Amino acid sequence: MKIDDDVTIKFEGCCDRNGKITAIESFNAKKMYLIILEDYPIGIWFFDDSNIIKKNI
């Protein structure tokens, strides 16, 4: 995945949400993605540890 990719975030117990990657950082040898969601236009950081982020094709 790269910056400007459209993605779907899987939320436990809730519906999936679409967003866009705006930044990618490394933290403790893991990738973190800053993703803009409709409810969070500034963005939220997500780890992709449990495959919660899926790239939209």
Side-chain angles (χ1 to χ4, degrees), residues 17-55:
R17 296 182 186 197
N18 294 322
K20 182 174 284 230
I21 297 174
T22 59
I24 302 170
E25 296 285 333
S26 292
F27 182 77
N28 288 339
K30 297 179 182 177
K31 283 190 179 180
M32 291 179 57
Y33 298 90
L34 181 62
I35 300 175
I36 292 177
L37 302 172
E38 185 176 314
D39 296 344
Y40 301 95
I42 295 174
I44 298 177
W45 286 100
F46 290 95
F47 281 109
D48 195 20
D49 286 340
S50 58
N51 295 319
I52 62 167
I53 304 171
K54 299 288 184 194
K55 182 178 176 180

